Amino acid sequence: MTTTRRLGRSGIEVSAIGMGCWAIGGPLWAGTQPLGWGEVDDDESIRTIHRALELGATLFDTSSNYGAGHSERVLGRALAGRRDQAVIATKFGYPTDEATRQATGEDGSPGYARRSLEGSLRRLGTDHVDLYQLHLGGLPVPQALELVETLEELVGEGKIRAYGWSTDDPASARVFAEAGAHCAAIQHDQSVLRDNAAMLAVCEEFDLASLNRGPLAMGLLTAKYQDTPAARGGDDVRGVAPEWLDWFSDGVPRAEWADRVARVRETLTADGRTLAQGALGWLLARSPRTLPIPGCRTVEQAGENLGALAYGPLPAAAFAEVEHLLADLRTTPATA
């Protein structure tokens, strides 16, 4: 069974399922609005990354603003002496104050792209990032295009191997991919609950990888959340959900989304997979370009998520059944 995929036109081989590193960053705030997943145990985070490596994960996705840089620091510690085993993807665009763990706005300028990369390289303890992504999903296309020259220069300098954009807008992705020779990936919202066929078509047309943000709907597509839907704490973004996060209300799944999970749960788990593994298997079956990056906070979560590699894509009959069950409820992500 193939457990690796290609990172778009970069040609870099990565694990078919990676590890998202937002949650291990710990707290981040925009004033009183939480933007992290609560307090974390750094030692457990490092053990989790090591377990993910043992189970075949090579792709690790983080950002300069996750935990105001803390996620990158922890990932760098975990990969010390193992850098050659990992493909590191990080992002830029949201400056933060590391001392106060406060988000301080947005910056999509070429100069900031360079400065942010230097900070990321320092925190990660490496001399290059494999995939460098624009994090500002709604940045106007003309401003995004102003970044291409700088990003190409960074490729030439050996500081990045490829770049991409984290956006849910297929039209923006198309223009960016056309302009950037070393644009290799688009990171976008994609899960069994919320498909983005138009974005997958752009990835196919321009030979891009589809990095799947929110492949488990921020925990909604896990048995733990379905069976024990306890409210999240006040420092968890799911507990005080900002406007763009519509999976939850007051820390518990919204009824309309929980109902959709209930529709497909039996089909996703019919061959022995857990609910999370079934959701990841659906993504692997959706397109040969998809690269789910579920977040992991514990060794147990890494074991479950990466265990989906052994099952591989959801069988064709099960995939078709899921599509039938959700046909009248399918939604496409709004432009971000």
Side-chain angles (χ1 to χ4, degrees):
M1 181 178 295
T2 301
T3 57
T4 61
R5 292 188 169 187
R6 190 167 49 86
L7 189 65
R9 57 195 184 194
S10 73
I12 300 170
E13 187 175 276
V14 296
S15 53
I17 297 173
M19 174 177 163
C21 299
W22 179 11
I24 67 171
L28 176 68
W29 304 85
T32 59
Q33 169 67 60
L35 295 174
W37 294 54
E39 292 292 339
V40 289
D41 178 339
D42 290 346
D43 290 335
E44 177 69 7
S45 297
I46 290 172
R47 288 190 292 269
T48 299
I49 293 165
H50 289 169
R51 181 59 177 152
L53 285 167
E54 291 170 1
L55 293 171
T58 61
L59 176 61
F60 295 86
D61 180 82
T62 183
S63 177
S64 61
N65 71 320
Y66 292 167
H70 191 68
S71 173
E72 289 182 328
R73 292 186 188 281
V74 172
L75 183 59
R77 285 174 55 194
L79 295 179
R82 310 184 189 208
R83 176 64 181 91
D84 61 342
Q85 299 176 33
V87 173
I88 297 176
T90 195
K91 311 180 198 72
F92 68 96
Y94 289 111
T96 57
D97 184 321
E98 291 192 41
T100 63
R101 294 222 177 190
Q102 282 286 333
T104 58
E106 300 182 0
D107 193 335
S109 68
Y112 180 74
R114 277 192 171 274
R115 293 194 302 276
S116 186
L117 178 61
E118 292 305 322
S120 291
L121 294 175
R122 182 179 66 254
R123 289 186 292 269
L124 289 163
T126 186
D127 62 357
H128 74 280
V129 162
D130 299 288
L131 181 68
Y132 194 42
Q133 302 160 97
L134 171 61
H135 207 171
L136 302 174
L139 191 70
V141 169
Q143 290 178 246
L145 293 179
E146 290 176 2
L147 291 162
V148 170
E149 182 179 357
T150 296
L151 293 169
E152 289 290 335
E153 289 173 355
L154 292 171
V155 172
E157 294 165 17
K159 293 183 177 180
I160 65 175
R161 297 173 69 188
Y163 55 87
W165 192 353
S166 178
T167 180
D168 291 324
D169 181 24
S172 297
R174 170 184 292 279
V175 175
F176 196 67
E178 279 186 313
H182 289 88
C183 176
I186 298 295
Q187 183 168 150
H188 60 100
D189 184 39
Q190 180 80 24
S191 72
V192 66
L193 300 182
R194 200 146 60 184
D195 191 29
N196 193 335
M199 188 68 83
L200 291 174
V202 171
C203 290
E204 180 66 30
E205 180 180 355
F206 292 98
D207 192 15
L208 307 175
S210 160
L211 267 66
N212 303 149
R213 171 171 22 92
L216 300 179
M218 296 182 69
L220 184 59
L221 284 160
T222 65
K224 178 180 179 181
Y225 235 131
Q226 291 301 308
D227 299 335
T228 55
R232 306 294 105 177
D235 58 356
D236 190 314
V237 66
R238 296 167 295 178
V240 189
E243 185 177 345
W244 52 264
L245 201 170
D246 65 351
W247 303 116
F248 304 97
S249 178
D250 297 324
V252 297
R254 291 182 182 273
E256 61 266 32
W257 292 115
D259 290 345
R260 296 178 194 199
V261 177
R263 283 197 184 196
V264 298
R265 183 172 185 168
E266 184 177 347
T267 305
L268 291 176
T269 59
D271 61 356
R273 304 172 198 241
T274 66
L275 177 59
Q277 289 169 345
L280 295 171
W282 181 90
L283 284 166
L284 295 180
R286 178 66 180 85
S287 164
R289 298 187 175 277
T290 51
L291 292 169
I293 44 173
C296 302
R297 289 164 61 103
T298 66
V299 170
E300 181 182 4
Q301 288 173 348
E304 180 176 8
N305 292 345
L306 275 303
L309 285 172
Y311 284 99
L314 205 65
F319 183 89
E321 178 66 12
V322 169
E323 297 311 280
H324 172 71
L325 292 168
L326 293 179
D328 61 326
L329 295 174
R330 279 273 182 232
T331 60
T332 300
T335 299

